[in-house]
Amino acid sequence: SFRDDGRVGPRRDGEAKKGLRGVATDRDATVFAAAGAAAVPSPPPSPPRPPSPPRPAPPAATRAPVAAAKTPPKKLMRAIGEATRDFALIKDGDRVLLGLSGGKDSLSLLHALLALQKRAPIRFELACATVDPVTPSFDPSPLIPYVRALGVPYFYLRDHIVDYAGAVKPTSLCAYCARMKRGALYTCAAREGYNVLALAQHLDDLAESFVMGALHNGQLRTMRAKYVAERGVTVIRPLVYVREHVTRAFARDAGLPVINENCPACFEEPKERARVKKMLAREEQLFPAIYNSLRRCLTPLMDDALYPHIRESTTSIAARRVRRRPRKVIEPPRAPPSPRRPALLGRLRDLLGSR
């Protein structure tokens, strides 16, 4: 009989203990001859495997990351998590497109969303889009290799906004450029199938917008944390609870490739937002907790569901308003007619009749 060591015949006592497995002896040859068994042929060698074809490189949009994402500080991630919870900014299965300008805020939000993808219990896709206005003072093209090295899908949109502004001649170039950039981002998100557009405005931006709207426009409003914009794209602002100095410190410590915008139209004269920023900075020096109060004050105004009630209240108050009656215009008294006037008229009639 065949044994587990490949030979025929009974195993000798102590063979396994002495390590004689696979060693041929004279007794084994006698057993083979008596049994008339032939030697077991060895299996033929297997043919060499053909070389596997080279694996094609993945596209740039889905390429594996070659650069590690930076780890945001806990203070930044905690504020983003609170805003995501309070306003339900990101849901499971969302496809998020981040508007990446190259500033400290949008780059900080990029790394925060990458960290949120790994930690959050929800699953969502992330991509970036940059609008290049094609002006010598602002070149965001260095972002292309940086974002692709992170393995994030990236859309680089070139739009001649400055040339369009020269033809249209808007009253405010900055406002026109911002509207055109948002329109390009809406179009890109709808075309590529992303249902959420993430913007990087922070708490300081919301406070400045609130003060400007109250002082100059008489409106009780600020930037909303979440709302539905053109083409059915949902706009979210995950940094609504984050202070500007937090993103500035993270961008500096992490060495993020911040691209400074040097558009002459933005710095040719002091803007109202810059004046409001300085005013709030002075108040913060006197009252360090002023932004905590502003956050509690602005939180209801960040909810898009509040604004229909504000418009309804404003309309009803305007309808009940009593209009003032127009004042009567008192004409000055006329001078009495001259007593010599009838005599002059009679003499004039006599002269005309004689002729």
Side-chain angles (χ1 to χ4, degrees):
S1 60
F2 286 94
R3 302 184 299 182
D4 55 356
D5 56 0
R7 290 180 289 166
V8 180
R11 184 187 301 274
R12 291 185 297 175
D13 296 338
E15 180 177 305
K17 297 180 181 179
K18 295 180 180 179
L20 298 178
R21 181 185 179 96
V23 179
T25 61
D26 296 339
R27 185 174 181 277
D28 294 331
T30 305
V31 173
F32 269 97
V40 180
S42 61
S46 58
R49 297 179 60 184
S52 58
R55 180 178 298 178
T62 59
R63 187 173 301 161
V66 296
K70 306 297 181 180
T71 302
K74 293 182 179 180
K75 189 174 184 179
L76 175 61
M77 295 301 300
R78 186 184 305 113
I80 292 177
E82 292 176 357
T84 304
R85 177 202 60 201
D86 292 349
F87 300 102
L89 300 182
I90 302 177
K91 300 179 180 179
D92 193 46
D94 280 345
R95 305 190 70 208
V96 181
L97 180 67
L98 171 62
L100 188 66
S101 64
K104 63 183 186 310
D105 304 322
S106 59
L107 284 171
S108 299
L109 182 56
L110 168 60
H111 289 276
L113 291 176
L114 288 174
L116 193 64
Q117 271 188 322
K118 300 177 181 179
R119 304 178 185 178
I122 58 177
R123 295 293 178 264
F124 63 93
E125 299 182 26
L126 179 63
C128 297
T130 299
V131 181
D132 184 0
V134 192
T135 173
S137 59
F138 178 60
D139 181 19
S141 59
L143 292 173
I144 298 176
Y146 179 77
V147 178
R148 288 180 177 174
L150 294 174
V152 179
Y154 189 51
F155 305 97
Y156 192 83
L157 313 173
R158 293 176 59 89
D159 197 356
H160 297 265
I161 297 178
V162 178
D163 296 340
Y164 300 153
V168 177
K169 299 187 184 315
T171 55
S172 174
L173 178 59
C174 294
Y176 177 81
C177 183
R179 289 195 303 269
M180 293 293 289
K181 287 182 177 180
R182 285 197 302 269
L185 292 175
Y186 296 155
T187 303
C188 178
R191 182 182 66 246
E192 302 297 335
Y194 290 88
N195 63 318
V196 178
L197 175 63
L199 302 179
Q201 285 86 7
H202 44 68
L203 180 59
D204 294 47
D205 294 329
L206 271 68
E208 294 159 10
S209 298
F210 169 73
V211 174
M212 291 170 60
L215 297 182
H216 299 285
N217 299 326
Q219 295 179 350
L220 189 66
R221 64 184 303 121
T222 186
M223 301 179 187
R224 292 161 288 179
K226 181 179 181 180
Y227 64 96
V228 179
E230 300 175 6
R231 297 176 175 85
V233 178
T234 301
V235 179
I236 63 173
R237 293 184 171 97
L239 299 180
V240 290
Y241 289 165
V242 179
R243 292 295 310 279
E244 184 179 10
H245 66 82
V246 176
T247 61
R248 183 186 299 112
F250 172 55
R252 181 187 63 248
D253 298 340
L256 302 183
V258 177
I259 298 178
N260 296 319
E261 186 169 359
N262 299 317
C263 180
C266 297
F267 303 101
E268 60 185 1
E269 58 180 355
K271 295 296 186 293
E272 186 61 29
R273 183 173 292 274
R275 285 192 285 266
V276 172
K277 182 185 289 291
K278 292 181 180 179
M279 181 189 71
L280 292 176
R282 289 194 299 267
E283 293 297 320
E284 189 178 13
Q285 291 178 354
L286 299 175
F287 307 99
I290 186 176
Y291 273 92
N292 295 333
S293 302
L294 284 172
R295 172 178 166 176
R296 290 193 299 269
C297 173
L298 295 177
T299 298
L301 297 177
M302 299 178 192
D303 191 356
D304 188 47
L306 179 66
Y307 289 93
H309 301 285
I310 295 179
R311 287 192 293 267
E312 182 181 358
S313 176
T314 303
T315 304
S316 61
I317 292 175
R320 292 193 302 267
R321 185 175 300 162
V322 179
R323 297 183 178 180
R324 297 180 179 179
R325 295 180 180 179
R327 296 181 179 180
K328 293 183 179 180
V329 179
I330 301 177
E331 297 180 358
R334 296 181 180 181
S338 174
R340 299 178 57 187
R341 186 176 180 182
L344 293 175
L345 291 176
R347 187 176 179 184
L348 181 60
R349 282 196 298 268
D350 294 342
L351 290 176
L352 292 176
S354 63
R355 292 183 182 180

